[in-house]
Amino acid sequence: MELIEQLLFGSSSSGGGEVAHSVVLLALVITIGIILGKIKILGVSLGVTGILFVGIAFSYFGMKIDEHLMHFLKEFGLILFVYSIGLQVGPGFFSSFRKGGITLNKLAVLVVALGVATTVVLYYATGLSMTTMVGVMSGAVTNTPGLGAAQQAFSDLHVGSDAPDIATGYAVAYPLGVVGAILTLLSLRYLLRIDVQREEEAAGLGTDALKDFTTRRLSVEISNPAVEGKSIVAIRDLALRDFVVSRICHPGKTPELAAAATTVHGGDRILLVTAPKDVEALVALLGREVDSEPMVLDKTMISRRILITKPELNGKTLAELRVRSTYGVTITRINRLGIDLVASGDLQLQIGDQVTVVGPELSVTHAERLFGNSLKRLNHPNLIPIFIGIALGVLLGSISFWIPGIPQPVKLGLAGGPLIVAILIGRYGPRYKLVTYTTMSANLMLREVGISLFLAGVGLGAGEEFVPTLLAGGYVWIAYGAAITIIPLLLAGLFGRFYYKLNYYTLIGVLSGASTNPPALAYSTEQTATDAPSVGYAMVYPLSMFLRVLAAQLLILIFA
């Protein structure tokens, strides 16, 4: 019995006993928290945030770990968490600012700005401290990195001191942050009088802002005399559009692969891949759209998705590989992080990309050896970019800089610094032959370990203040959190629909991403068979995450 008491409540008799106590306590908090997070009430669960509530409960009943050890584990967990997020979103971060992505990210910025504005209004209206309001804001949008950034900013500002009310506000607002976001998305469906069937069809065609981030395959019969006898590369220069012709079928013959030098004549049928926004212009230039099934179902050609796993291909362009002349196959599209890209010659490949290869089966098999297609190879972790990136991120986060109007120097901190470095390494690493790819399972493991350590540390440090704060009127914070959740989503949803003319399924994906709210995304994807919510979420999530981390720090530095 004495041994159990020492492990749970600690003992100062020996250093080894204190370490054993800390490890056991952390393990119990994380284990019980994860179990609690899996329990669903009305289809909604706490997820990994259950660890925070269990840590609060343990701390309230006197079970704590050494303050210095807890501080280290909390900060190191936060670094692992935000760095793994940055590596994941880095490859798609800058590509999300293409034409259609700018529209979606403008809407995401509006959601973040409205959330910050609502927080500031409530700060002045209620008289609560800004530390409390930032905690409530982070919980209302389920943004754990924002919580970490706020605590780090406060600690830097007050020389190592913590503000327990940040974690308390987060914990109080989090549950309704999940439920409120989902209910708001559901309310928009009725407020906007959405015709589900018509929206589903439109989402499948990619006719709104997502037209820059999807591809469409179509068959066209050549009938325009202006392109008679021209090569495909000449037509591409004439059209000023990106497209790939995978197959051509001359009248009365079987389909064959098309090359850049292949010439087209009246009556020829070509199968091409392009962005939805370019379909109308290309059909008008070439002739008329026809049924693509006869060419797609032809047994002499196959189409296969191949995974790029060879490090030596990292950063190479499609033009450099010369797969058409060397292997007799054509690459039509590339899938990167769930987004389809037209296979233009200047597109740089990255480890983990999936390329769609078309050609005779034997040729496709030979091309497969070029790309690797070995999941076993990807399972090997690349640790050097991770730890070099973390070191650089901490260095960047420690640099102070001044922003006009703010009395204190600003630091990106242990949340912002590693996040920015990870995004940059994830995006530009392949250009310098740096392999930054990690499998989704490895990235998720790194992320979950980090966030578990962080939330356990936060909970164990905030428990003493949690219950007294609630009894003293802290339950009202739930209403403040609901306002921060619902008002921005509702206003931005109406704006996105009426001003940007966004498809409903694209819209709810963007709103989920702008709220950095995975449960809301899960709800959104369940509403449609299309990828519109997932693509919309992926387009705005990186910028939204960065802005929310930055906003949490700035509010603390300006008002706290």
Side-chain angles (χ1 to χ4, degrees):
M1 192 68 184
E2 183 180 351
L3 175 62
I4 294 176
E5 185 176 348
Q6 287 179 356
L7 289 175
L8 291 179
F9 292 93
S11 171
S12 59
S13 59
S14 68
E18 185 63 32
V19 171
H21 154 67
S22 300
V23 171
V24 168
L25 203 59
L26 275 171
L28 286 175
V29 168
I30 292 172
T31 301
I32 298 172
I34 291 174
I35 294 172
L36 175 66
K38 292 181 181 294
I39 299 173
K40 288 189 176 183
I41 300 175
L42 298 177
V44 177
S45 64
L46 290 174
V48 72
T49 310
I51 297 171
L52 174 65
F53 289 94
V54 173
I56 288 173
F58 272 50
S59 178
Y60 180 72
F61 289 106
M63 290 177 275
K64 300 180 180 179
I65 63 177
D66 178 74
E67 181 181 349
H68 299 291
L69 177 60
M70 182 178 67
H71 185 73
F72 167 76
L73 289 173
K74 182 174 65 175
E75 302 302 341
F76 185 64
L78 176 64
I79 290 170
L80 287 179
F81 178 61
V82 297
Y83 191 81
S84 61
I85 286 178
L87 278 183
Q88 181 192 5
V89 304
F93 184 78
F94 294 98
S95 62
S96 68
F97 295 107
R98 294 188 309 194
K99 185 176 179 181
I102 290 177
T103 297
L104 300 184
N105 277 289
K106 281 181 181 178
L107 187 61
V109 170
L110 178 62
V111 174
V112 176
L114 287 171
V116 171
T118 305
T119 302
V120 173
V121 169
L122 288 172
Y123 164 71
Y124 283 113
T126 63
L128 290 173
S129 68
M130 183 50 77
T131 50
T132 298
M133 289 309 308
V134 169
V136 171
M137 179 184 74
S138 298
V141 294
T142 66
N143 189 261
T144 310
L147 166 67
Q151 290 201 319
Q152 180 66 38
F154 186 88
S155 179
D156 289 343
L157 197 61
H158 296 277
V159 196
S161 300
D162 284 331
D165 57 329
I166 298 178
T168 303
Y170 177 92
V172 169
Y174 184 94
L176 200 61
V178 175
V179 178
I182 294 173
L183 291 177
T184 304
L185 299 182
L186 181 61
S187 300
L188 282 171
R189 175 176 167 181
Y190 294 101
L191 283 173
L192 299 173
R193 299 180 180 180
I194 297 298
D195 183 329
V196 174
Q197 184 175 352
R198 188 164 64 180
E199 292 295 309
E200 181 88 11
E201 292 173 357
L205 293 174
T207 54
D208 61 0
L210 290 189
K211 60 182 177 291
D212 291 313
F213 300 97
T214 54
T215 58
R216 186 179 161 195
R217 182 180 63 188
L218 68 151
S219 184
V220 179
E221 183 177 299
I222 305 299
S223 61
N224 185 359
V227 298
E228 175 71 29
K230 289 188 180 295
S231 65
I232 290 173
V233 68
I235 294 173
R236 186 180 292 116
D237 293 338
L238 183 65
L240 298 177
R241 301 285 197 281
D242 271 335
F243 65 91
V244 176
V245 176
S246 61
R247 313 174 205 190
I248 184 170
C249 183
H250 303 295
K253 296 184 179 180
T254 58
E256 59 186 58
L257 280 182
T262 300
T263 57
V264 300
H265 302 277
D268 289 346
R269 294 191 175 193
I270 59 173
L271 188 68
L272 61 85
V273 174
T274 188
K277 64 184 178 67
D278 294 329
V279 168
E280 187 176 346
L282 288 173
V283 171
L285 174 65
L286 298 172
R288 64 186 183 92
E289 186 174 357
V290 294
D291 184 16
S292 62
E293 276 201 20
M295 298 183 72
V296 173
L297 299 179
D298 180 73
K299 294 183 179 179
T300 61
M301 300 282 177
I302 66 168
S303 175
R304 183 181 298 169
R305 276 198 168 183
I306 299 175
L307 191 65
I308 297 179
T309 59
K310 286 191 174 180
E312 57 266 30
L313 299 183
N314 204 46
K316 285 188 176 293
T317 64
L318 286 174
E320 289 177 297
L321 297 183
R322 302 183 181 277
V323 294
R324 178 67 182 88
S325 58
T326 307
Y327 295 92
V329 296
T330 298
I331 298 175
T332 59
R333 67 188 85 187
I334 295 174
N335 185 276
R336 179 174 298 162
L337 296 176
I339 299 172
D340 275 338
L341 306 171
V342 177
S344 57
D346 59 349
L347 186 64
Q348 284 187 314
L349 297 175
Q350 296 182 10
I351 297 291
D353 284 349
Q354 286 184 308
V355 296
T356 300
V357 179
V358 177
E361 186 170 4
L362 184 60
S363 299
V364 171
T365 302
H366 289 158
E368 193 171 357
R369 299 194 190 107
L370 167 69
F371 294 111
N373 206 31
S374 171
L375 286 173
K376 183 179 179 181
R377 188 189 293 254
L378 285 185
N379 286 335
H380 183 74
N382 298 295
L383 296 180
I384 292 177
I386 292 176
F387 286 101
I388 285 181
I390 286 175
L392 293 174
V394 172
L395 178 63
L396 177 64
S398 302
I399 298 173
S400 300
F401 58 93
W402 292 88
I403 296 178
I406 297 179
Q408 297 289 337
V410 177
K411 293 181 181 179
L412 291 171
L414 296 180
L419 179 64
I420 290 176
V421 169
I423 289 174
L424 293 175
I425 286 180
R427 171 62 181 86
Y428 294 107
R431 181 175 297 180
Y432 301 99
K433 311 304 179 185
L434 186 65
V435 178
T436 60
Y437 178 82
T438 55
T439 62
M440 284 300 295
S441 58
N443 185 284
L444 189 59
M445 173 63 79
L446 190 67
R447 190 191 319 176
E448 291 299 301
V449 168
I451 193 62
S452 296
L453 291 173
F454 172 73
L455 289 175
V458 171
L460 288 169
E464 284 184 332
E465 304 291 333
F466 187 77
V467 173
T469 299
L470 282 182
L471 295 177
Y475 53 84
V476 181
W477 299 356
I478 298 174
Y480 303 153
I484 296 171
T485 300
I486 295 170
I487 292 173
L489 291 181
L490 202 58
L491 293 178
L494 295 172
F495 183 80
R497 179 65 174 185
F498 292 116
Y499 187 78
Y500 288 132
K501 312 296 182 185
L502 292 182
N503 178 275
Y504 171 71
Y505 296 116
T506 301
L507 179 64
I508 59 178
V510 170
L511 295 179
S512 300
S515 299
T516 60
N517 194 321
L521 173 64
Y523 164 80
S524 301
T525 55
E526 289 173 359
Q527 307 307 305
T528 175
T530 70
D531 293 329
S534 299
V535 177
Y537 184 95
M539 284 298 98
V540 303
Y541 179 83
L543 180 63
S544 301
M545 177 64 74
F546 174 74
L547 290 178
R548 290 200 179 280
V549 168
L550 186 62
Q553 293 182 86
L554 288 178
L555 286 175
I556 293 293
L557 293 172
I558 295 172
F559 294 98

